Amino acid sequence: MMKVGFELVHANYNPNMIRSHMHETWDHYSNIITSLPFSAPTPSNLYPKPATENQCLNMGQNEVSDWMEEHIDDITKHLVEDLPETTSDSLVPNNTTRVSHHNLVPSLLPNLISERKASGFRPQFEAITNVHSGLDHSYNVCDQGLSLISLLMECAVAISVDNLGEAHRMLLELTQMASPYKASCGERVVAYFTKAMTCRVMNSWLGMCSPLLDHRNINSAFQVFNNVSPFIKFAHFTSNQAILEAVNHCDSIHIIDLDIMQGLQWPAFFHILATRMEGPPQVTMTCFGTSTELLVETGKQLSNFARRLGMSFKFHPIASKFGEVIDVSLLHVKPGEALAVHWLQHSLYDATGPDWKTLRLLEELEPRIITLVEQDVNHGGSFLDRFVGSLHYYSTLFDSLGAYLHFDDENRHRVEHALLSREINNVLAIGGPKRNGEDKFRQWRRELANHYFQQIPMSANSMAQAQLILNMFSPAYGYSLAQVDGTLRLGWKDTSLYTASAWTCCTSN
């Protein structure tokens, strides 16, 4: 007898909360389930040809990676040379390692770099110009570009030493010079960084906290991002494959999703469980989120999907942060369940609370598997650390969108404005120890390895899943996939943007 349960924690359930637009999302995911099998493809179809070979758009506007990758160390050094000796040592970013598939510092804005034929060069600007003198002249650059990036970087240095008046003056100038609607990816990035740094200055002056979030708008834009790029699908399907391998043949499975959002990845997971030779297992999910209403919607959708598959399913939504759980019994984990924890990290908001509390709770739970998908961007450290790392990272993300979508594409604007801009603002204006009182881990993989967990190498089947996702996009769009040290890394050109890994508790069976 099919059984589907739906229980609500910290919320009042109202069946009328379900919105019609949710059905389109789930119907879309149901349609692609059969095209992405959770098994190892045969050698003949392991790497199928891309479905389309559309001409790559805007490539002349999007060569944003190579120049700053080559010269970031020199630029960072010159940026802090003119600061007082008492502050310069602490301001040199410590995450400026060379970029490759094996290193995780993304690229900066080379198409903004050019000769500025004007007087009044600042010392830092002269330093960048000197580095530029050795640049290959094949780069098509404009006079305004170097002025923008020079001013943005000087502004970051001013903020890092609390010279807020000078920073505000520079931000006013940048606001007039950079637009998020121009064809240049670099100028769009500068415009959004200017907005975030303006919020940072205002927060420092007024003591303001993080702005209110429209979670429905965020989730909608997240779905668009999933549709127009491979990154979210990569996170979903590689994690699903790793969980399936860990809980194979288990009769009772419990999944804890640390930030489920719309739950887009789970229909495909349910589908493969429902078709197991030994029959579907009992599945329980405990899912965290910041919006009670959206959690209820997601739970209803998952319950309805499980019902159609004839699968026994229970859903426990918790409108809170995982790291703020004070009693592990609230997670509804029962003896004998195969426990999996999934965490797709993002910078849209603080989804889990204090990192040290999140880690402590993971240790207490002793899950059979943790699937972790990290953005390869620095969330911790000083402001200048976060500025340099995030400028590398988001310029590359903007480039990847520009290589695939026209500069005035509505979906591209939606992703950049509703998602990427919000992430930039959270990392620079809100994130960091001085903003929330809690230090953030620089890399969760390192923390797990140092605290009672051991890595499970991502399997050949997970790699096949990632390759199938990547093959939906023409090679001309520049996406790259690498398997490094047991992880899977998806990026753009030679810059890693998302890293998927799997972990298990040392005492788990």
Side-chain angles (χ1 to χ4, degrees):
M1 180 70 178
M2 180 273 300
K3 175 184 176 184
V4 178
F6 181 81
E7 302 177 20
L8 186 63
V9 180
H10 302 314
N12 295 319
Y13 169 60
N14 180 354
N16 295 324
M17 286 181 176
I18 306 305
R19 307 297 178 101
S20 59
H21 71 84
M22 294 287 290
H23 296 281
E24 297 179 2
T25 302
W26 287 71
D27 290 342
H28 168 74
Y29 255 69
S30 300
N31 291 336
I32 67 172
I33 289 172
T34 55
S35 65
L36 290 168
F38 289 88
S39 60
T42 61
S44 61
N45 66 359
L46 182 60
Y47 305 118
K49 297 293 184 181
T52 61
E53 294 289 347
N54 295 332
Q55 183 178 2
C56 191
L57 300 175
N58 294 337
M59 287 306 292
Q61 303 286 348
N62 296 303
E63 296 180 357
V64 183
S65 302
D66 301 331
W67 192 90
M68 290 301 293
E69 175 188 340
E70 185 70 21
H71 300 292
I72 183 60
D73 294 336
D74 298 301
I75 291 174
T76 303
K77 176 176 179 291
H78 287 300
L79 276 171
V80 298
E81 275 184 347
D82 294 325
L83 295 174
E85 293 183 2
T86 57
T87 61
S88 61
D89 290 341
S90 63
L91 292 173
V92 178
N94 57 13
N95 63 341
T96 53
T97 55
R98 188 64 56 203
V99 180
S100 70
H101 281 302
H102 302 271
N103 293 293
L104 304 180
V105 180
S107 60
L108 207 51
L109 307 166
N111 69 321
L112 287 181
I113 305 304
S114 68
E115 300 284 355
R116 180 183 179 184
K117 300 176 181 177
S119 59
F121 285 179
R122 301 178 181 89
Q124 293 93 340
F125 181 85
E126 291 177 345
I128 298 176
T129 304
N130 292 336
V131 175
H132 174 261
S133 62
L135 179 64
D136 187 334
H137 294 288
S138 63
Y139 288 101
N140 181 20
V141 291
C142 61
D143 286 341
Q144 187 186 21
L146 185 51
S147 177
L148 284 174
I149 194 169
S150 173
L151 196 59
L152 185 71
M153 299 182 84
E154 287 180 61
C155 182
V157 173
I159 292 175
S160 69
V161 295
D162 290 328
N163 188 351
L164 302 183
E166 180 66 10
H168 184 251
R169 183 194 63 78
M170 297 180 196
L171 289 168
L172 289 175
E173 186 176 347
L174 284 165
T175 300
Q176 297 175 356
M177 296 169 64
S179 168
Y181 301 102
K182 292 296 183 68
S184 166
C185 291
E187 186 171 343
R188 295 160 84 112
V189 171
V190 170
Y192 284 120
F193 267 77
T194 299
K195 177 182 177 183
M197 292 162 70
T198 299
C199 290
R200 171 59 187 258
V201 170
M202 296 303 295
N203 288 349
S204 298
W205 270 337
L206 304 177
M208 297 172 62
C209 299
S210 59
L212 296 176
L213 300 178
D214 183 350
H215 291 280
R216 190 171 297 281
N217 183 51
I218 290 175
N219 284 1
S220 179
F222 194 82
Q223 179 186 342
V224 173
F225 189 37
N226 174 73
N227 293 339
V228 301
S229 78
F231 299 115
I232 306 305
K233 293 186 183 72
F234 163 81
H236 289 172
F237 286 95
T238 56
S239 297
N240 283 357
Q241 180 66 42
I243 294 174
L244 284 167
E245 293 169 3
V247 301
N248 191 29
H249 304 303
C250 293
D251 295 327
S252 183
I253 300 170
H254 194 134
I255 299 168
I256 299 177
D257 192 328
L258 302 194
D259 187 21
I260 192 171
M261 301 182 81
Q262 288 178 304
L264 296 178
Q265 81 181 76
W266 300 117
F269 182 80
F270 285 6
H271 186 273
I272 195 66
L273 287 179
T275 57
R276 295 194 318 181
M277 291 185 62
E278 62 270 34
Q282 160 70 46
V283 176
T284 302
M285 292 191 71
T286 300
C287 299
F288 288 81
T290 55
S291 169
T292 297
E293 182 182 5
L294 291 178
L295 279 170
V296 170
E297 291 183 7
T298 299
K300 285 291 291 184
Q301 293 285 357
L302 285 170
S303 296
N304 291 336
F305 193 83
R307 181 180 296 109
R308 293 199 298 269
L309 294 174
M311 188 173 71
S312 178
F313 176 71
K314 292 182 181 179
F315 184 84
H316 302 289
I318 301 180
S320 181
K321 298 178 181 180
F322 180 77
E324 296 176 352
V325 172
I326 59 175
D327 186 353
V328 72
S329 66
L330 294 175
L331 302 178
H332 304 277
V333 179
K334 298 178 180 179
E337 292 180 325
L339 179 61
V341 176
H342 174 67
W343 189 6
L344 169 55
Q345 294 185 352
H346 57 73
S347 305
L348 292 165
Y349 47 83
D350 180 12
T352 56
D355 283 356
W356 68 272
K357 291 183 179 180
T358 298
L359 180 59
R360 186 178 64 182
L361 191 56
L362 290 174
E363 291 176 341
E364 186 176 355
L365 285 171
E366 298 185 348
R368 178 177 295 223
I369 186 171
I370 299 173
T371 52
L372 175 68
V373 182
E374 296 177 276
Q375 292 177 307
D376 297 323
V377 62
N378 179 23
H379 296 96
S382 69
F383 172 79
L384 200 58
D385 273 344
R386 301 198 307 276
F387 170 81
V388 171
S390 59
L391 189 54
H392 278 84
Y393 183 83
Y394 288 103
S395 63
T396 307
L397 262 181
F398 274 71
D399 276 356
S400 70
L401 290 174
Y404 181 55
L405 301 171
H406 198 268
F407 77 91
D408 60 357
D409 184 271
E410 179 181 355
N411 287 331
R412 179 179 172 187
H413 280 299
R414 191 171 185 183
V415 170
E416 291 177 352
H417 180 74
L419 290 185
L420 303 187
S421 174
R422 190 176 298 276
E423 289 199 333
I424 293 167
N425 187 75
N426 194 43
V427 172
L428 296 184
I430 303 168
K434 292 184 179 180
R435 314 313 303 179
N436 57 23
E438 296 285 350
D439 198 7
K440 305 294 289 184
F441 295 159
R442 290 180 179 270
Q443 188 183 91
W444 264 90
R445 298 192 301 279
R446 183 182 300 117
E447 296 298 329
L448 290 174
N450 292 334
H451 291 83
Y452 203 51
F453 294 93
Q454 64 185 28
Q455 186 177 357
I456 304 173
M458 300 296 279
S459 69
N461 286 351
S462 293
M463 180 65 175
Q465 292 292 317
Q467 189 64 58
L468 287 169
I469 293 294
L470 202 62
N471 286 339
M472 294 179 176
F473 299 82
S474 168
Y477 297 142
Y479 297 111
S480 57
L481 177 66
Q483 192 165 17
V484 181
D485 297 330
T487 70
L488 293 178
R489 297 179 181 176
L490 181 61
W492 191 71
K493 294 189 175 178
D494 289 330
T495 299
S496 178
L497 296 175
Y498 287 82
T499 298
S501 60
W503 301 82
T504 188
C505 187
C506 292
T507 60
S508 295
N509 295 325

